[in-house]
Amino acid sequence: FHVDTALLSRFEVLAPPERRMLELVAVTGQPLSFEVLQKCIGQPESLAARDRLLSQRLLRSRTAQGRDEMEVYHDRIRAAVLRFLPAGALRLRNQELAAALEETDGADPEMLAVRYQDAGDPVRAATYALAAARRAVRALAFNKAAHFFRFAAENTPTGTPERVPIGRELGDALSNAGRCAEAALAYLEAAAGSTGLERTRLHGHAASQYLRSGYIRQGRALLRDALRQSGIHSPSNRKLQVLCIGALRLRIRLRGLDYQERPESEIIPGDLFRLDLCAAAALGLSMIDPISSAEFSSRATLMALKFGEPYRAALSLAGEATQLGQPGTQEGMVKARQLLERASGIATRINNPHARGFVQLMSGVVSYLEGSWKRCCQECDAATEIFRADCNGISWELSTASTFSFV
């Protein structure tokens, strides 16, 4: 006696509409709206087929959110149906399901993406996978979003114009999910199909993600390339680099901390990218190359004040405060606290949660450098609360706050 043999004998006595309904539900692999089944089979036949399959305990019904749904009675039945279903019939059932789902109000793009892929239609599969991924991003479900962005990329031919933005969105989703090394790979794959500023931008994103996740060698190599392509030249000699830092800090002191505020939309994208690249380099190198980190922090601060975008100004001033506080001198601490106070005022005024949390975290780092251990823990804990409550893509911030809380 074999279970599959017994099940096959039961399938063979079913009428064509009954077997078709069983196959449709089995192919779906999850509860399926009876409305969709009616669109596939027709109303009179579907009612009779449903009753027959329910009485034979091949399907079972349930009500979810006010609509009737059907599912296979047991997973062994579903496995047997799929095992005995020819490849051509399987593709046909997926085509029927996809067409019926499209005609249904509120059709699930996740289900449509899978159905069209199994039906052999990669173009429509990619379209619905993108819709599912972007819906997941809006719901802050970044791991699910990454899954469907990758799904869309796999169903989009390499070298097509659509592949680059999909890869970029995949990288963004992975970054927001805290999967930094995977995000770097996604950005690099997207960069392979792009040119000019977009290619450099994607290399910069990849460098930042590698540095944040501990892949120092790969991150620094990409960072050097992105800096060169952006026209930012850092001295290779350490003595010259220290002199460069001194010159940059003197420029900041002479110009002062006032700036003409401008919205991001009024700033040249290439300028914003250069600023973001320097800021990413300052953070990514802070634990492994303090001198280079100090140089890029000062560069970012000067650019942030010049361009006048308040969010970046708050982040740059807070980051520069930690650089000024590193010697541990009273004069350095006074300057650091002044920068933090200015950064905190900007972050509070624009009411940006990430800016507020970042300033709080940098204040904790300055307290650590000052030797105020209790204050450091309090400020890092406060930053963690802000990050967890209102931010995403903050794996580096959370790990840094945790590190300084327990040092």
Side-chain angles (χ1 to χ4, degrees):
F1 177 78
H2 196 279
V3 173
D4 284 355
T5 304
L7 289 172
L8 179 59
S9 66
R10 295 180 66 188
F11 301 157
E12 288 176 340
V13 300
L14 294 173
E18 296 164 2
R19 184 154 185 169
R20 186 179 174 193
M21 178 177 288
L22 179 60
E23 290 170 353
L24 287 166
V25 179
V27 165
T28 305
Q30 64 187 78
L32 181 62
S33 166
F34 186 61
E35 178 187 357
V36 174
L37 290 170
Q38 286 180 307
K39 291 179 183 295
C40 291
I41 299 173
Q43 187 163 359
E45 294 87 352
S46 61
L47 292 171
R50 179 191 63 180
D51 294 342
R52 170 77 169 160
L53 293 169
L54 290 175
S55 66
Q56 291 292 311
R57 287 182 168 78
L58 293 172
L59 294 183
R60 57 184 171 186
S61 64
R62 70 174 196 173
T63 302
Q65 298 179 345
R67 66 178 186 178
D68 293 333
E69 293 184 340
M70 307 296 292
E71 60 183 332
V72 179
Y73 195 87
H74 193 280
D75 198 55
R76 286 295 297 271
I77 298 173
R78 176 178 179 269
V81 171
L82 296 178
R83 188 175 299 114
F84 297 128
L85 193 62
L90 177 61
R91 188 163 49 251
L92 178 60
R93 295 291 174 259
N94 278 294
Q95 290 171 351
E96 292 172 346
L97 283 167
L101 284 166
E102 277 191 318
E103 297 176 3
T104 306
D105 292 337
D108 184 1
E110 297 179 21
M111 186 181 293
L112 278 163
V114 175
R115 297 282 69 82
Y116 271 121
Q117 183 186 50
D118 292 345
D121 190 340
V123 175
R124 289 189 177 181
T127 299
Y128 282 109
L130 280 176
R134 288 162 182 163
R135 184 179 68 174
V137 168
R138 291 192 295 271
L140 306 183
F142 296 113
N143 282 308
K144 176 180 279 192
H147 169 76
F148 279 101
F149 279 128
R150 184 169 278 122
F151 188 116
E154 290 170 352
N155 283 277
T156 303
T158 303
T160 57
E162 296 81 6
R163 191 67 182 266
V164 172
I166 293 174
R168 183 175 60 247
E169 290 184 276
L170 171 59
D172 292 342
L174 289 166
S175 174
N176 285 326
R179 297 157 62 181
C180 300
E182 293 177 74
L185 289 174
Y187 287 132
L188 287 176
E189 185 177 347
S194 59
T195 58
L197 177 61
E198 181 64 13
R199 181 184 177 89
T200 305
R201 190 194 306 275
L202 289 167
H203 278 172
H205 289 332
S208 175
Q209 295 301 311
Y210 270 140
L211 290 172
R212 284 169 175 255
S213 55
Y215 290 81
I216 306 303
R217 181 176 58 82
Q218 297 93 322
R220 296 194 77 160
L222 285 169
L223 180 63
R224 282 193 296 270
D225 179 63
L227 288 168
R228 185 179 67 255
Q229 294 294 327
S230 302
I232 300 172
H233 303 286
S234 174
S236 56
N237 181 286
R238 282 297 190 193
K239 291 182 180 180
L240 292 177
Q241 197 170 29
V242 171
L243 291 174
C244 178
I245 294 169
L248 290 168
R249 289 181 177 175
L250 179 61
R251 288 177 60 189
I252 295 172
R253 185 173 180 178
L254 291 174
R255 82 168 304 285
L257 302 180
D258 293 331
Y259 65 94
Q260 182 66 42
E261 186 170 312
R262 290 193 292 166
E264 182 176 325
S265 58
E266 293 183 5
I267 304 171
I268 299 171
D271 288 342
L272 283 178
F273 170 67
R274 291 170 63 247
L275 165 55
D276 291 339
L277 188 61
C278 287
L283 289 182
L285 298 173
S286 58
M287 299 292 187
I288 57 172
D289 188 350
I291 294 178
S292 294
S293 176
E295 177 198 341
F296 289 115
S297 175
S298 295
R299 286 182 184 276
T301 301
L302 272 171
M303 284 190 275
L305 294 172
K306 176 182 177 181
F307 301 146
E309 199 281 309
Y311 167 71
R312 291 171 172 83
L315 267 57
S316 297
L317 290 171
E320 183 70 1
T322 64
Q323 302 291 342
L324 296 178
Q326 283 191 36
T329 63
Q330 183 176 0
E331 181 184 3
M333 287 301 163
V334 169
K335 292 179 180 178
R337 291 298 176 189
Q338 289 175 345
L339 290 183
L340 285 170
E341 184 179 357
R342 179 64 65 93
S344 179
I346 297 171
T348 301
R349 179 172 55 78
I350 64 176
N351 195 28
N352 183 293
H354 182 259
R356 290 190 289 108
F358 189 84
V359 172
Q360 191 77 60
L361 173 58
M362 294 300 102
S363 183
V365 173
V366 170
S367 295
Y368 169 83
L369 296 170
E370 195 176 29
S372 302
W373 318 124
K374 184 176 180 179
R375 181 177 179 181
C376 169
C377 289
Q378 291 172 341
E379 289 174 329
C380 288
D381 288 345
T384 299
E385 289 183 14
I386 296 172
F387 289 137
R388 290 193 183 279
D390 299 306
C391 302
N392 53 63
I394 34 78
S395 56
W396 181 91
E397 288 84 346
L398 290 177
S399 62
T400 302
S402 177
T403 298
F404 281 94
S405 290
F406 289 104
V407 171

